Amino acid sequence: SGFPALASQSVGITGVSYCAWPLIGAECGVNADVEKHLELGKKLLAAGQLADALSQFHAAVDGDPDNYIAYYRRATVFLAMGKSKAALPDLTKVIQLKMDFTAARLQRGHLLLKQGKLDEAEDDFKKVLKSNPSENEEKEAQSQLIKSDEMQRLRSQALDAFESGDYAAAIAFLDKILEVCVWDAELRELRAECFIKEGEPRKAISDLKAASKLKNDNTEAFYKISTLYYQLGDHELSLSEVRECLKLDQDHKRCFAHYKQVKKLNKLIESAEELIRDGRYTDATSKYESVMKTEPSIAEYTIRSKERICHCFSKDEKPVEAIRVCSEVLQMEPDNVNALKDRAEAYLIEEMYDEAIQDYETAQEHNENDQQIREGLEKAQRLLKQSQKRDYYKILGVKRNAKKQEIIKAYRKLALQWHPDNFQNEEEKKKAEKKFIDIAAAKEVLSDPEMRKKFDDGEDPLDAESQQGGGGNPFHRSWNSWQGFNPFSSGGPFRFKFHFN
C-alpha cells in the first residue's frame, strides 16, 4: 500500500541514509543485541516470514525504546500483515523521535486518509512538503493533498444529500469517498443508513459488518445487523449477531430485549424442524402456527411458516389442507418452488393430475436441475395417462392414500355385490364377470406393497404395455379362472375353492 520495502535495502530507511547498517550501533546508540534483532528481522521480512520478523522487531523496540528505525520496521511488518491500526502508533512514535522523517509522515498520512481522518492526513502531507522532501515524496504528498481535498468536498455533498432525504445521491457520493477512505467506520454506517432507507438491507448489512470491525466495541452496529437479519427472516444469523453485541455489553438494553425475542422464535423453528425430521407433521404444524403468533408483524415469518405447514400437510397426506395452505403461499410468492412441489404432491393424492403437472412444470422453470421436480413431473404424466385407462383406486372406490384395511373392506363389499352368481340375465352376468375381475385385480395390486408402489408411480403392474419385458397380462383371463377363490380371504385370490351350481 505504498510503504517502502525496507527489507531489501542496505540502509535503515529507503532513500534515507540515516543509521546505515554498518554504523547502526555508533550513530543510533543501539547495543549489539538490538542490532542483531534488527538485522535478523530484516532478513526474515525479506523472506516473507512476517510473524518471525515481527518478533525480532518487538525485541528491538524493547531493547531500545528510542530507536526510530525499530518502530518504522515494525510498522512496515504490521502493514504487510494488514494490521494498519497497530502500524499507526508506531509511525507516530517514529515522527516524535525524528520530526523530519518524511517517509514515516507520508505513510501515516496515507493511513489517516484511509481512515477518513482528512484534516490530520492533510496536516501530514503539508508538513512533508515543508520538510525538504525528495522529488518523489513531494510529488506523492501533492497528489494526496488533492485527493484529500476532493474527499472533503464529496463528504460535504454526501451529508447534504442525506439531510435532504436524497439517499440515492448520498450513496453515489459515499461510494466515491469509500474507494479512498476504505477504513472510515462512520461513513460506512452512514451509507448503511442510506441503503436501509432505499430498501437494500443486505447492502446495509455488508457496510455495518465492516463498521463493526473498524470501530472497537461497536455494539450499535451489531444491534442493527441483528435486527436487519431478523427482518429478512434469517433468525439464526440474527441470533448470532445479537450475541456479539451482548459479549461487548451484557447490559445493553435493546440488544437484550431483541435477544429474548429472537431466541424464543429460533427455539420454536428449530423444534418444528426436528418434528418434521421425525415425521411428526401435526406437531410441527402446531409449532409453526406458534411462530406466526410470536412474530405477526414481519411477513417473512408468516410466509416461511405457511410454506412449512404446506409441506407438513402434503407429507402427512392431507391434500385438501395442503392445497389450501400452499395456494396461500403461492399467492404471496408465485415462484416459490417448495410450495409448488408440495402442492403438486397434494394434487396427485387428489388425482388432479393436470394441476400437478402444471405445478411441476412451473417449478421446473425456476429450478430445472432439481431431480425431485423432474421425477415428480414424470410421475404425474404417467398417472395422467394411467387415469385414462384402468384406475384400481376408483374401481374399489378408495382414496390413493387408503390403508390396506380400507382396501380389503372395500374389496369384500364389492366382491359380494358383483359376484356373477347374483345375476341371472346373461348380459348382466357378463358385465358382472368383467366387473368382478377388475375388482379382484384391484385388490391384488393394492394389497401388495410392491405392486401398489409401481401403480402409484404410474406403472400398471398388470398391464402388458407398461411392463417393459412384454409378455401377456396375467389378469386378462376369463371368469372361469376366478372360480374357486374366496373373496373374504385377506391373502392371495387362489387360496380357497368353493363351487357353484
Side-chain angles (χ1 to χ4, degrees), residues 151-326:
M151 294 307 105
Q152 295 274 28
R153 184 180 62 79
L154 287 169
R155 186 199 288 263
S156 177
Q157 289 176 311
L159 291 171
D160 288 345
F162 181 82
E163 291 298 325
S164 63
D166 190 351
Y167 304 113
I171 290 168
F173 291 129
L174 290 166
D175 286 346
K176 290 178 182 176
I177 304 171
L178 286 165
E179 286 176 11
V180 175
C181 307
V182 289
W183 300 329
D184 191 324
E186 282 76 17
L187 288 183
R188 288 195 177 274
E189 288 174 343
L190 181 64
R191 189 169 68 173
E193 284 300 312
C194 293
F195 281 134
I196 292 168
K197 297 287 188 183
E198 288 290 290
E200 296 189 83
R202 294 201 181 275
K203 288 184 178 179
I205 288 170
S206 179
D207 268 344
L208 289 167
K209 281 191 172 184
S212 72
K213 293 182 177 70
L214 292 167
K215 190 193 293 184
N216 293 331
D217 300 330
N218 198 343
T219 53
E220 189 63 23
F222 284 116
Y223 173 72
K224 284 183 179 178
I225 294 167
S226 179
T227 55
L228 286 170
Y229 273 133
Y230 185 75
Q231 287 160 13
L232 288 167
D234 202 330
H235 52 95
E236 290 175 333
L237 284 175
S238 176
L239 188 61
S240 173
E241 295 294 334
V242 78
R243 279 175 174 154
E244 292 300 317
C245 173
L246 291 171
K247 281 180 190 175
L248 296 172
D249 180 5
Q250 61 183 6
D251 298 320
H252 194 289
K253 288 184 179 179
R254 286 184 299 161
C255 280
F256 185 67
H258 184 59
Y259 169 74
K260 288 195 293 183
Q261 172 69 3
V262 183
K263 189 179 179 185
K264 181 181 179 182
L265 196 74
N266 193 63
K267 190 175 179 181
L268 281 171
I269 293 170
E270 283 182 348
S271 176
E273 288 302 308
E274 189 175 341
L275 290 166
I276 289 174
R277 287 191 293 273
D278 293 341
R280 296 169 59 188
Y281 299 115
T282 302
D283 292 337
T285 297
S286 177
K287 286 285 182 187
Y288 270 116
E289 286 170 349
S290 296
V291 169
M292 290 189 285
K293 289 176 184 173
T294 301
E295 186 46 87
S297 60
I298 297 176
E300 187 66 21
Y301 292 104
T302 300
I303 296 171
R304 296 288 80 82
S305 295
K306 287 192 173 185
E307 181 186 316
R308 298 306 279 159
I309 290 169
C310 144
H311 178 72
C312 289
F313 281 141
S314 183
K315 289 296 178 188
D316 208 21
E317 297 190 338
K318 295 178 177 175
V320 175
E321 294 90 336
I323 291 166
R324 174 178 56 80
V325 179
C326 293

Side-chain angles (χ1 to χ4, degrees), residues 325-342:
V325 179
C326 293
S327 296
E328 289 176 10
V329 174
L330 290 164
Q331 280 181 346
M332 295 179 278
E333 292 184 345
D335 301 334
N336 188 310
V337 171
N338 291 327
L340 285 164
K341 288 196 289 188
D342 286 323

Side-chain angles (χ1 to χ4, degrees), residues 2 49 112 194 213 221 263 310 341 357 368 471 482 484 497:
Q49 295 173 253
L112 291 168
C194 293
K213 293 182 177 70
K263 189 179 179 185
C310 144
K341 288 196 289 188
I357 288 169
E368 58 186 25
W482 286 104
K497 288 200 171 189

Side-chain angles (χ1 to χ4, degrees), residues 385-451:
K385 188 176 178 182
Q386 184 190 83
S387 70
Q388 294 159 353
K389 297 180 181 179
R390 179 166 58 174
D391 188 330
Y392 295 126
Y393 290 104
K394 285 184 179 178
I395 289 169
L396 294 183
V398 294
K399 289 278 187 185
R400 293 191 79 88
N401 58 350
K403 301 286 186 283
K404 186 175 179 179
Q405 295 89 331
E406 296 174 63
I407 289 164
I408 297 297
K409 183 179 178 182
Y411 159 71
R412 287 173 175 169
K413 181 180 176 182
L414 291 168
L416 282 176
Q417 180 184 340
W418 290 97
H419 197 289
D421 280 1
N422 294 336
F423 300 89
Q424 303 304 317
N425 181 281
E426 279 303 313
E427 284 297 318
E428 289 181 354
K429 188 181 283 287
K430 282 182 181 179
K431 182 181 175 184
E433 285 175 2
K434 185 181 182 305
K435 189 80 172 175
F436 193 83
I437 289 169
D438 284 345
I439 292 164
K443 183 257 185 184
E444 177 72 0
V445 170
L446 299 184
S447 61
D448 181 292
E450 193 175 330
M451 293 175 79

